[in-house]
Amino acid sequence: MKSIPMKSIQIKTLILILSVVILTAFATSASSVLILSRGANHEAREIMNLTCEKNAESLNTLFTGIEQSVDTLAIRVETELESMDRLQRDEEYRDQYTKSIEEAALNHAECVEGALSVFLRFNPDYTTPTAGMFWAREDLGENFQEIPTTDLSVYEPTDRDRVGWYYEPVEKGEPVWMQPYQNGILNKWIITYVVPVYKDGILIGVIGMDIDFRRIEEEAAKICVYDTGYAFITGEDGTLMYHPTYQYGEVMEEKDKSLLSAVQQMKQEKESKELLTYEIEGRKTCMAYCNLINGMNFCISVPEAEINREKNELMIKNILVTILLSCVAAIAGAIFSRHFAKPLRELNKKAKKIAEGDFDVSIECTSKDEVGELADSLGKMSESLKQYVDTLNSLAYRDSMTGVRNKTAYHQIEERLREQIEEKNAHFAVVVFDVNNLKKTNDLYGHMAGDDLIINVSHEICQTFKHSPVFRIGGDEFVAILETKDLDEYESLLEQFRNKTEQKRLEDYPELVMSVACGAAVYDSDMDTCVADVFQKADYMMYQNKLSMKQKTKG
């Protein structure tokens, strides 16, 4: 008779063990699946947004170089002109003045990446309709040749295809980026940046540069995200400027109505915070985009199935591991249920903490039987989940190639500095580094050499600025935030870095000389309102250093 209650306790204990193990296993599995799902979605969003931002920054650097050169020339056109009256009546003076601007314009055009032509056209109301200059070259790398200028009197101002480059900026009274168009003289697709120039409120004329649109197409064509993801470029209104499948000039929303909301968002927001989803040719697709400074949009598109593939595989593996561990635990509980009562209560408490996302719980069990194995298995499961989370966090905040922090981490420290600026206790400097000739290195020696160059530059930056965080915010661009000791010595450290890298050769590629442009700026509470202001000053100093290095190389 006494064996009956003992049997009842054993059954109850077994039911308790099985219930706790199964519930814990599935709760842990559900928690890990949720974490993995969120982590994978976050990783996909980061990969696409960072890829989009990196390449958009590359193109914006190109466009900024054009704008700075043309804006500088526009200032020179205005300041060197004695008067509109003399420009109108003194032909010899006009020729000398044009020649002076011409020399400066050619010097700028030679230094600007992708420039095919440079031109200056005078106001036909004060000069002849062909007055000015136009220098162009058929291909990049060739010498510029003087080309006869277009006779503005032959065409109506409404003829945008032939003389829109003159009348559009004049009508708007401000610098204009033209949409890509086929240039009849150069017989190429180009985009043009034009600035109208005034003297005492009177239009002198326009000055501008043309860029080979193939340079922008090549930047987009070389991008591959996941398996079949690709890049494309649109105009402000959603018209396709470049697409690997569709033709120039096609309208995005005509391909699928779901693209209409994407086009509207691109007009309202500069970049995508969340991935946009739409259907194209029956496939669900995700898209990230960034606005370019010339009004176009740089977009990355990846099929949703490719984004979810890795996440689904991880979830299936996690479920299988959870099921396997549950089976092992259930068998052990059925055989030795009488020994589980006390330790099981502790395991149940800690399993709930794991299910709630606390993976740092300590699971200890001194027994050497299956209860101990179950505790060990639960501890390993917790450690595995912690490793999954740590891995996802590492992917989100570390650059996989160099090991330094990435752009997401940069945004975090930028937020901290913003709070310090608001509290009036900010003391920092920003150093911007840009690796020269990375594309040339990749083209001549392969991407392994380019990667080696990036890694070596990253190492030198970290070695020089030992007390400061270093970030890789673009393919060839790094940033260091200097505080405390490095801030006090930033000028000597910057000089030390330049001296170390000026003639340094890569160990595995001795024919390659490390060349890095850099510039620094210190936060000034009287002038700077945000971190971006300091970054822009440092970026400008870096750009000046880059120009100086180019001129030194040519010299």
Side-chain angles (χ1 to χ4, degrees):
M1 294 297 291
K2 291 183 180 181
S3 62
I4 294 176
M6 292 299 293
K7 184 178 180 180
S8 175
I9 292 173
Q10 182 177 347
I11 292 173
K12 290 180 179 180
T13 304
L14 178 60
I15 293 173
L16 176 62
I17 292 172
L18 293 176
S19 299
V20 170
V21 169
I22 292 173
L23 289 175
T24 301
F26 280 98
T28 304
S29 178
S31 175
S32 62
V33 166
L34 180 61
I35 292 172
L36 289 171
S37 178
R38 290 177 177 175
N41 290 336
H42 175 77
E43 180 184 2
R45 184 171 65 250
E46 287 298 308
I47 289 174
M48 292 181 65
N49 280 334
L50 288 175
T51 301
C52 193
E53 289 172 10
K54 180 187 73 173
N55 288 276
E57 286 174 3
S58 176
L59 291 177
N60 281 336
T61 299
L62 173 67
F63 297 144
T64 299
I66 296 287
E67 289 184 354
Q68 289 176 341
S69 292
V70 177
D71 290 345
T72 301
L73 289 171
I75 294 172
R76 185 163 184 168
V77 169
E78 190 270 335
T79 55
E80 287 194 8
L81 181 63
E82 183 177 314
S83 68
M84 289 298 295
D85 181 62
R86 190 169 183 187
L87 179 70
Q88 182 180 22
R89 60 185 176 80
D90 191 337
E91 184 175 349
E92 181 179 354
Y93 168 76
R94 185 168 65 242
D95 291 340
Q96 292 175 349
Y97 170 66
T98 303
K99 188 66 177 178
S100 173
I101 301 301
E102 183 180 279
E103 292 176 358
L106 286 173
N107 287 334
H108 277 272
E110 289 285 357
C111 297
V112 172
E113 180 185 1
L116 278 179
S117 69
V118 60
F119 58 88
L120 169 66
R121 297 303 308 274
F122 293 122
N123 185 345
D125 293 337
Y126 285 82
T127 62
T128 63
T130 59
M133 61 87 181
F134 179 36
W135 286 74
R137 55 186 174 185
E138 291 186 1
D139 286 298
L140 301 178
E142 296 184 0
N143 293 327
F144 284 90
Q145 302 292 329
E146 187 171 13
I147 306 296
T149 57
T150 302
D151 188 340
L152 295 176
S153 65
V154 175
Y155 305 103
E156 293 293 330
T158 56
D159 192 343
R160 296 301 183 185
D161 291 337
R162 293 181 175 84
V163 290
W165 52 266
Y166 179 86
Y167 288 105
E168 186 170 335
V170 169
E171 290 175 1
K172 292 183 177 180
E174 61 184 19
V176 170
W177 275 101
M178 306 292 293
Q179 292 293 323
Y181 65 95
Q182 179 79 20
N183 184 285
I185 297 176
L186 301 177
N187 196 27
K188 292 181 182 294
W189 281 94
I190 62 173
I191 54 175
T192 304
Y193 179 68
V194 195
V195 178
V197 189
Y198 298 86
K199 182 76 171 182
D200 300 327
I202 301 174
L203 178 68
I204 300 173
V206 300
I207 188 164
M209 280 190 190
D210 298 323
I211 312 174
D212 191 344
F213 191 64
R214 288 180 304 177
R215 169 67 178 80
I216 289 88
E217 291 179 338
E218 289 170 359
E219 187 75 22
K222 69 183 181 183
I223 294 172
C224 181
V225 185
Y226 289 90
D227 293 335
T228 62
Y230 57 86
F232 63 95
I233 300 173
T234 75
E236 294 179 281
D237 58 355
T239 301
L240 292 173
M241 302 287 101
Y242 164 79
H243 195 283
T245 304
Y246 302 118
Q247 297 296 318
Y248 173 87
E250 294 191 58
V251 181
M252 285 179 63
E253 55 261 40
E254 291 180 358
K255 298 299 176 184
D256 194 280
K257 292 182 179 179
S258 60
L259 282 166
L260 179 60
S261 60
V263 174
Q264 292 174 342
Q265 182 169 331
M266 284 192 290
K267 293 179 181 178
Q268 296 171 358
E269 299 180 10
K270 291 184 177 181
E271 60 183 14
S272 54
K273 298 177 182 177
E274 299 292 335
L275 298 181
L276 305 179
T277 57
Y278 61 93
E279 285 194 12
I280 192 75
E281 297 179 354
R283 291 191 308 173
K284 285 189 175 182
T285 305
C286 297
M287 183 179 77
Y289 72 88
C290 284
N291 291 156
L292 300 174
I293 62 174
N294 70 337
M296 295 191 295
N297 300 296
F298 191 88
C299 310
I300 300 287
S301 182
V302 178
E304 189 179 55
E306 294 181 15
I307 294 175
N308 292 333
R309 183 185 303 153
E310 184 176 356
K311 175 182 70 176
N312 293 338
E313 290 175 355
L314 286 172
M315 282 198 254
I316 291 172
K317 289 179 181 178
N318 181 72
I319 292 172
L320 290 175
V321 170
T322 302
I323 292 174
L324 179 60
L325 290 174
S326 299
C327 292
V328 172
I331 294 172
I335 298 173
F336 299 101
S337 60
R338 288 176 297 175
H339 303 286
F340 285 0
K342 183 177 180 179
L344 195 59
R345 284 193 293 269
E346 295 299 321
L347 288 177
N348 185 37
K349 292 179 182 178
K350 293 175 180 179
K352 288 181 178 179
K353 291 184 178 180
I354 295 173
E356 292 170 356
D358 182 6
F359 304 120
D360 293 322
V361 295
S362 176
I363 301 176
E364 298 177 356
C365 184
T366 58
S367 63
K368 304 298 182 180
D369 54 9
E370 287 78 3
V371 175
E373 291 181 5
L374 177 60
D376 184 60
S377 297
L378 196 59
K380 289 179 179 179
M381 182 186 295
S382 174
E383 185 64 27
S384 296
L385 290 172
K386 184 179 179 181
Q387 290 177 0
Y388 279 133
V389 174
D390 291 343
T391 300
L392 291 173
N393 285 334
S394 177
L395 290 172
Y397 298 101
R398 284 283 174 185
D399 177 55
S400 59
M401 181 190 297
T402 62
V404 301
R405 306 182 196 185
N406 60 15
K407 193 167 186 178
T408 302
Y410 174 75
H411 289 322
Q412 283 192 331
I413 199 170
E414 190 178 34
E415 180 63 22
R416 175 175 66 79
L417 293 173
R418 182 190 64 78
E419 293 176 357
Q420 292 179 357
I421 290 173
E422 292 178 351
E423 294 170 1
K424 308 297 183 183
N425 64 345
H427 303 283
F428 67 95
V430 176
V431 186
V432 177
F433 307 86
D434 188 272
V435 182
N436 294 324
N437 304 317
L438 179 60
K439 183 179 185 301
K440 183 178 180 180
T441 300
N442 287 332
D443 291 342
L444 293 178
Y445 302 99
H447 286 274
M448 290 184 66
D451 292 348
D452 195 28
L453 177 60
I454 289 293
I455 292 170
N456 274 271
V457 170
S458 172
H459 177 75
E460 291 298 334
I461 296 172
C462 293
Q463 285 296 309
T464 304
F465 301 89
K466 295 180 180 179
H467 307 288
S468 302
V470 178
F471 308 83
R472 185 184 180 197
I473 63 171
D476 55 1
E477 192 170 6
F478 293 83
V479 172
I481 302 298
L482 310 188
E483 298 175 285
T484 62
K485 185 176 181 180
D486 283 356
L487 176 60
D488 297 334
E489 302 173 358
Y490 86 94
E491 291 181 332
S492 62
L493 290 174
L494 200 61
E495 184 64 24
Q496 177 184 337
F497 175 80
R498 287 170 175 161
N499 292 336
K500 286 170 63 178
T501 59
E502 186 174 12
Q503 295 298 328
K504 184 170 182 178
R505 295 181 180 273
L506 302 188
E507 183 177 347
D508 295 333
Y509 300 91
E511 65 273 34
L512 291 180
V513 177
M514 190 180 297
S515 177
V516 186
C518 55
V522 179
Y523 168 71
D524 186 345
S525 59
D526 294 328
M527 298 178 61
D528 304 321
T529 61
C530 61
V531 180
D533 291 342
V534 188
F535 181 94
Q536 287 178 358
K537 292 191 297 184
D539 191 60
Y540 175 78
M541 296 302 296
M542 181 277 293
Y543 181 77
Q544 295 301 314
N545 181 226
K546 182 181 286 288
L547 290 179
S548 175
M549 295 173 77
K550 286 184 178 180
Q551 292 172 356
K552 183 177 179 182
T553 302
K554 289 183 178 180

